[in-house]
Amino acid sequence: MNARLLSLIICTVSICCLFLTPLAAQDRDPEALKPAQEEFTKQHYPSALALLRTYLRDHANDQDAWVWLGASYYHTGQAQLALTTLSKAKPKGDLKSLRRYYMALSYDALGKSEKAKSLLTQQARSKDLLAEDALFELTVIQFEDGDVSATQKNIEDYNKRFSDGRYEKQMASILEHLTEAGHTEVPGSRRAQYKASYFESNPLSLVSI
């Protein structure tokens, strides 16, 4: 997921907030939330996390903010906290997609790949904003798990639906190294990034995850 897509999601959610009832509007403050969203978009996840925690002390009923908090936990190597937070959040609109996406990533980071694949499959088949991201991450998991048949099927599906997609080069690389399925990792995937963020958050661990 790139910064442009995140900005689109943030913009869509902000516009929806203009139509909230006065009572619902008390639960959130888009302007106060904006700095945290900007830090998240810039991939400054530790600072985004700190800002979100501060914001939620005053706006505990802002369900969208809980989704951003859960995603920030994920990006700082805290998958269990991410999953717990996201499971309790009840967002509306496009944030439902973001919630499901990060729940799937969190399940995978915790070693529950079957649950991750189930959620990513549902999202990949949909027409929401994160369908492309979900299909790529699903392909990565299946490739690294050694499922050649599923990997090939997903790559074919990706090329049909996203011929000029953001993950075109990565998908082509996976196809070229299909014989290495189950024995090599895909650089640049969320799975790979999580291992790095986990090690950064837990520098005394002997392994990244």
Side-chain angles (χ1 to χ4, degrees):
M1 191 193 316
N2 60 10
R4 184 178 180 182
L5 180 56
L6 279 171
S7 296
L8 178 60
I9 293 174
I10 292 171
C11 182
T12 302
V13 173
S14 297
I15 291 173
C16 290
C17 290
L18 296 176
F19 299 95
L20 290 173
T21 63
L23 179 61
Q26 295 175 9
D27 294 337
R28 60 178 293 124
D29 183 343
E31 285 302 312
L33 181 60
K34 191 175 180 180
Q37 292 175 321
E38 290 177 344
E39 288 298 285
F40 189 96
T41 302
K42 294 175 183 177
Q43 299 182 16
H44 299 164
Y45 301 119
S47 57
L49 182 62
L51 288 170
L52 284 161
R53 293 180 67 179
T54 299
Y55 171 84
L56 282 164
R57 291 192 188 102
D58 297 322
H59 304 88
N61 292 322
D62 187 342
Q63 298 301 312
D64 290 352
W66 286 104
V67 175
W68 293 113
L69 180 69
S72 298
Y73 275 132
Y74 172 82
H75 282 295
T76 52
Q78 303 177 79
Q80 186 57 65
L81 275 173
L83 188 58
T84 299
T85 302
L86 292 165
S87 297
K88 295 178 180 179
K90 297 178 181 179
K92 297 179 180 180
D94 289 327
L95 266 293
K96 289 182 179 180
S97 279
L98 197 70
R99 173 181 177 269
R100 180 166 58 176
Y101 178 69
Y102 277 102
M103 283 186 70
L105 296 179
S106 297
Y107 274 125
D108 182 56
L110 293 170
K112 301 177 180 179
S113 62
E114 291 305 314
K115 287 188 176 181
K117 287 188 286 186
S118 177
L119 287 174
L120 288 171
T121 297
Q122 293 174 35
Q123 194 153 29
R125 291 174 178 171
S126 71
K127 295 181 180 180
D128 69 33
L129 291 172
L130 296 174
E132 182 184 357
D133 299 87
L135 183 54
F136 171 66
E137 297 301 332
L138 175 63
T139 304
V140 169
I141 293 173
Q142 291 170 331
F143 172 76
E144 294 185 357
D145 287 353
D147 191 338
V148 175
S149 178
T151 300
Q152 286 180 308
K153 184 178 179 180
N154 284 341
I155 292 175
E156 291 174 3
D157 185 29
Y158 184 89
N159 290 334
K160 289 178 182 178
R161 295 171 58 196
F162 308 104
S163 57
D164 296 316
R166 289 175 284 111
Y167 302 103
E168 184 180 8
K169 291 183 179 179
Q170 291 97 319
M171 286 295 205
S173 179
I174 292 174
L175 186 60
E176 289 176 5
H177 298 85
L178 206 56
T179 56
E180 300 174 26
H183 302 289
T184 188
E185 296 182 352
V186 179
S189 68
R190 290 298 181 195
R191 183 182 255 194
Q193 291 170 8
Y194 181 82
K195 291 181 179 181
S197 64
Y198 180 88
F199 184 74
E200 289 173 2
S201 300
N202 302 271
L204 297 181
S205 62
L206 295 178
V207 293
S208 59
I209 185 173

